Amino acid sequence: GGLAGDVYICPAVARREAAERGIPAREELVRLVVHGTLHVLGHDHPEGEARTASPMWRLQERLVRSLA
């Protein structure tokens, strides 16, 4: 195990997105970390409306619920 990838998150953007969505900033930060980590691990999702119905997105949201 070496380095698999990097995940960069801008806290200011995360706070703004959280405010726009009406969710806690912590939840949005957790979602971004989980989302980026899943991509580094090789998961992917389609673009557009199918994105939120994809297996990756469902896994992401299960993880967010358990961590946020």
Side-chain angles (χ1 to χ4, degrees):
L3 180 65
D6 296 319
V7 176
Y8 292 91
I9 296 168
C10 178
V13 172
R15 284 191 297 273
R16 185 187 73 225
E17 292 287 323
E20 289 175 5
R21 295 176 59 207
I23 62 172
R26 175 182 166 80
E27 180 180 337
E28 184 64 8
L29 286 166
V30 167
R31 181 171 285 105
L32 292 170
V33 169
V34 168
H35 188 92
T37 301
L38 288 173
H39 276 302
V40 167
L41 294 173
H43 294 270
D44 207 358
H45 54 78
E47 293 299 319
E49 291 182 21
R51 178 181 187 172
T52 58
S54 70
M56 178 188 160
W57 200 273
R58 290 192 311 268
L59 173 59
Q60 167 191 294
E61 291 306 304
R62 280 196 309 272
L63 292 168
V64 168
R65 283 191 302 274
S66 72
L67 297 168

